[in-house]
Amino acid sequence: MNGAQTLVSTLVDQGVDICFANPGTSEMHFLAALGENPKMRSVLCLFEGVATGAADGWYRMKDKPASTLLHLGPGLANGLANIHNAKRAASGMVNVVGEHSVSHLKYDPPLTSDIEGLARPLSHWVRRAESPDTVAWDTAQAVAKASEHPGQIATLILPGDTSWQQAGAAPVLPPTAAATRKTPRAERIEHVARVLRSGEPALIVLANKATRGAALEKAGRVAAATGARLASQFFTARIERGAGRVPIARIPYAVAQATAFLREFKHIVTVETKEPVAFFAYPDKPSLLKAEGTQVHTLVEADEDSQLAFDMLLQALGASATTPLVQARIETPVPTGPLNPASIAHALAAALPEHCIVVDESLTTGRESMGLTMGARPHDLINNMGGSIGYATPVATGAALACPDRRVFCMVGDGSAMYTIQSLWTQAREGLNVTTIIFANNSYAILKAEYANMGAGSPGERALSMIDIDKPRIDWLAMAKSMGVPAVAVETAESFYEAMARSTREPGPCLIEVRL
Amino acid sequence: MNGAQTLVSTLVDQGVDICFANPGTSEMHFLAALGENPKMRSVLCLFEGVATGAADGWYRMKDKPASTLLHLGPGLANGLANIHNAKRAASGMVNVVGEHSVSHLKYDPPLTSDIEGLARPLSHWVRRAESPDTVAWDTAQAVAKASEHPGQIATLILPGDTSWQQAGAAPVLPPTAAATRKTPRAERIEHVARVLRSGEPALIVLANKATRGAALEKAGRVAAATGARLASQFFTARIERGAGRVPIARIPYAVAQATAFLREFKHIVTVETKEPVAFFAYPDKPSLLKAEGTQVHTLVEADEDSQLAFDMLLQALGASATTPLVQARIETPVPTGPLNPASIAHALAAALPEHCIVVDESLTTGRESMGLTMGARPHDLINNMGGSIGYATPVATGAALACPDRRVFCMVGDGSAMYTIQSLWTQAREGLNVTTIIFANNSYAILKAEYANMGAGSPGERALSMIDIDKPRIDWLAMAKSMGVPAVAVETAESFYEAMARSTREPGPCLIEVRL
């Protein structure tokens, strides 16, 4: 076996069986090895930001890392923005970055760059595979690192000669251990139990693994037993929500609304997250969103086990038998008439099928009205954790590959969609069940509000021309067609609903342009 | 004035009067300042790789830096691949990267990253503007750095509070001095003169500023006087070529052809470049391309003045009055029939109008047949110096803005075009005279050859499926339409010619899909 074959075989043995790839010359042996190994699925992406975002989406739904194949330093660079988003979402991934062979590097050929330097700011672990004889251990360690809780970004640099030189048979390494989650500290449990028993208004802010599954259900019992409210940050890696799930309030995005929301709480209890902070800094607005005098209590650190913490907390509260409040199903009638945030949310609430996945990068259009979908059929909601625009279409791609039986609704603003629009091609190629919903307001609409929020006054004609993206208007039907995705434009709430409903009945991707 | 206004005013005072921008919330004051300053032109890009590539194209044609506006670390990251290409092309640019205000950073909000860490591997100069009172000096130094010879990448990080806080009037700083080029070393001139007088076969390899203007003309005199041949590397930042120009041979890309080309020379003389090296490393192929026994002589280092060096050399040779050989005009008949590399090159040779600009990222289709356009009307040829795919459509965008009276032909493979296809939108928005020529072979065709070159054998079905991009076929007419660019598909040499000729008669962008 050569080094590339050993690498792929080790990835597969360690449970990483998909690779989102944008290969180049220096990765030809790796590409060959991917193709030869029947247990490895390779997914071609036309831009590296699609590959890294798809790996993020895969992790969000599978809780295990995917791999990516990137072409030297610039290929890694193209993937970095979505690596940033994945890192902030605690999504593990294994990036394999091709590199010139050692003997060639000293001549400084054109594609040479400081790959370690580019990788380090956004990776938890970076290594150069120096030899085909050790690449199995390097790979196993990359997978182990990526599989930690919270998930980590592991970047393995693969020089050409390591890739093509022969080594012995791939060593059989022990499989990657399941991620261990640290035990929460008992004194914190006791402390939070006292806080919650005090009867003073308390908000429990859940994140990462605590917004789904048993942890969420147990958080619901705590809330039911104590009267504490449950919330998430405005952005969360993945929330299980809708009918039958424990409902979580969403701390608003805008500073004024967030501080108003938080004002009523004397205590904020954090679970796998920190206290709420503003997304951006604004002149004359606070960075921290809590009211003066509100106390913040850490219940669960990011690397601790929130399910166990809630078990311990329920025990301390003597409330283990409490039944959680769950969200009732709300049958939303199909809305009619003009499209606006409320009618859009109602159409979503009516259309979302059971167990679908919603990837949200809708910014101005969708994000303040998500409360209207609380009683929809049970679904998963995925947000952008890093704030780098262009995350949704790749993440939807990866989520659809992770969950082929579930439809993915990717809600994205027109400006945001243009960063990584190449995702549509991979969705068509792989026949993925993704309904991309483009909110076409022909504007970076969020920036219009932010311009004023920043105290920059109201934008003049020239500044405004840098915020509007209506000259030319993007033709979304043509864009979808160009990459083999069927598309439809809608101008009323009922046609929006109908387009979504239709998309759930036909396999494969489609795109809905919501004309605003 | 606030810090942002001071920054923009200093940029303009120092001669940087265009900004390729993809702004976000933290850059609203900078956006306002751009809009207020009538001497500054702002060009909106829908993806940061378009902005940095356009700045590269601007520099290639203007020999002076443009600025970019990028949104925090991830926005910079999206621009890095084309910054890499610009750096390798010795194109200066000033990147302004927005950042959270100092007081907000300690809360580690979602968009926080190590911007300096991301910037350093591909920047020559990185600074954080700490205060509105000093931002003018920071900016002037960024411009000075970017304006050096060879051009440099300067990255200025602009925190929100530096941007929005008031400072005094912008100080009037001395304008950036013209880039000084170091004087070549006299002993090297003498040495090379002896080499050239020896009558042994010699090749003079020209790069950067030596492939155009007076330097090229003088290199032509040296060649005429001594019998030395002139060549460029396979990729060159910008060559003035065609009828009436001193012709330069192109060292081939493929290792076997390059070594065959170089074998006949006993001496290689380098001018603003190094000796030829292979683009990639291959098992069992050399990295250095010269024959054993060939001697390499440095005539001009990258930071030295090649025009002056050729003056000195002509004097040492007693050949200052020699007339250079120049390329004769070759009237190429309009080709007819099937499209192939030769008929494509003939169509180009017939169609290229005087003083047009050709940006080449055609890879397999165009690059081995450029010899057939040597006798075309005089034009400039621009290549990708860094090897990161996706450079051509942004560079063409910047070149067209730099030279509004000249048509730009952007020749790009279909795979390559997809990396930064958002350029089309900016071309439509600005009404740029760019003819984008998509060579649509529905494949990363170069990788098919490279697969074999790498000794990976012939690709199996699964590996091949990762090299072909024909499922689905990209619909280029729809893609162009989606971003407001008129398009036509051609399937014969004569229709390709006719489409190019027509594009030169109508202002604004268009796209030609060459169906292969």
Side-chain angles (χ1 to χ4, degrees), chain B residues 353-425:
Chain B
E354 194 161 332
H355 298 311
C356 71
I357 300 163
V358 177
V359 179
D360 186 16
E361 194 173 28
S362 60
L363 302 189
T364 42
T365 306
R367 70 185 190 184
E368 301 298 347
S369 53
M370 287 301 286
L372 300 175
T373 59
M374 292 289 284
R377 294 177 194 89
H379 62 278
D380 285 46
L381 174 65
I382 288 175
N383 292 134
N384 185 353
M385 299 300 289
S388 180
I389 298 301
Y391 104 104
T393 64
V395 165
T397 305
L401 280 156
C403 303
D405 298 332
R406 301 170 68 174
R407 170 124 320 237
V408 179
F409 288 83
C410 176
M411 310 204 304
V412 56
D414 47 3
S416 303
M418 284 301 290
Y419 287 73
T420 46
I421 193 62
Q422 303 93 337
S423 307
L424 294 180
W425 185 85

Side-chain angles (χ1 to χ4, degrees), chain B residues 262-398:
Chain B
L262 294 173
R263 192 171 298 134
E264 62 180 282
F265 300 103
K266 180 88 178 113
H267 301 280
I268 292 175
V269 175
T270 61
V271 177
E272 298 191 45
T273 186
K274 306 272 186 195
E275 71 165 292
V277 302
F279 205 84
F280 287 106
Y282 303 87
D284 312 321
K285 288 199 174 96
S287 289
L288 294 179
L289 300 173
K290 67 174 184 287
E292 213 180 304
T294 297
Q295 293 174 44
V296 178
H297 314 275
T298 303
L299 178 65
V300 187
E301 298 275 12
D303 58 354
E304 292 175 344
D305 185 335
S306 47
Q307 183 181 338
L308 179 55
F310 283 120
D311 275 335
M312 293 161 74
L313 184 58
L314 285 166
Q315 202 158 20
L317 292 165
S320 299
T322 308
T323 307
L325 282 173
V326 296
Q327 174 68 48
R329 170 83 174 113
I330 301 171
E331 293 285 349
T332 308
V334 175
T336 57
L339 289 160
N340 54 50
S343 68
I344 286 168
H346 285 133
L348 272 170
L352 292 182
E354 194 161 332
H355 298 311
C356 71
I357 300 163
V358 177
V359 179
D360 186 16
E361 194 173 28
S362 60
L363 302 189
T364 42
T365 306
R367 70 185 190 184
E368 301 298 347
S369 53
M370 287 301 286
L372 300 175
T373 59
M374 292 289 284
R377 294 177 194 89
H379 62 278
D380 285 46
L381 174 65
I382 288 175
N383 292 134
N384 185 353
M385 299 300 289
S388 180
I389 298 301
Y391 104 104
T393 64
V395 165
T397 305

Side-chain angles (χ1 to χ4, degrees), chain B residues 133-263:
Chain B
D133 295 316
T134 53
V135 73
W137 282 267
D138 295 332
T139 306
Q141 199 170 343
V143 177
K145 191 70 192 170
S147 305
E148 285 182 6
H149 171 75
Q152 310 276 299
I153 309 296
T155 301
L156 181 61
I157 302 166
L158 179 66
D161 44 356
T162 299
S163 189
W164 71 55
Q165 285 169 5
Q166 293 297 311
V172 177
L173 300 176
T176 302
T180 56
R181 301 182 188 182
K182 288 190 192 158
T183 302
R185 296 192 224 164
E187 66 275 20
R188 284 181 171 168
I189 305 287
E190 291 302 327
H191 173 75
V192 168
R194 274 193 303 274
V195 165
L196 297 182
R197 273 193 300 251
S198 74
E200 293 179 333
L203 184 73
I204 303 175
V205 184
L206 307 173
N208 202 11
K209 304 290 193 266
T211 53
R212 51 193 167 101
L216 175 58
E217 192 270 346
K218 285 168 185 174
R221 294 183 198 212
V222 168
T226 63
R229 278 191 73 187
L230 301 178
S232 68
Q233 305 278 8
F234 189 75
F235 293 118
T236 300
R238 178 177 154 206
I239 299 181
E240 289 178 351
R241 69 197 290 275
R245 264 78 182 262
V246 172
I248 319 177
R250 191 178 194 186
I251 299 173
Y253 181 84
V255 172
Q257 286 94 307
T259 52
F261 175 88
L262 294 173
R263 192 171 298 134

Side-chain angles (χ1 to χ4, degrees), chain A residues 408-470:
Chain A
V408 179
F409 289 83
C410 176
M411 309 204 305
V412 56
D414 46 3
S416 303
M418 284 302 289
Y419 287 74
T420 46
I421 193 61
Q422 303 92 339
S423 307
L424 294 180
W425 184 85
T426 297
Q427 291 171 16
R429 174 186 173 87
E430 301 287 336
L432 303 182
N433 296 324
V434 179
T435 305
T436 298
I437 300 166
I438 303 281
F439 294 110
N441 56 18
N442 308 299
S443 171
Y444 290 132
I446 189 170
L447 295 185
K448 291 185 182 169
E450 292 292 59
Y451 200 96
N453 287 339
M454 276 289 172
S458 95
E461 188 186 337
R462 295 181 77 209
L464 199 59
S465 77
M466 297 294 286
I467 296 177
D468 280 325
I469 59 170
D470 61 341

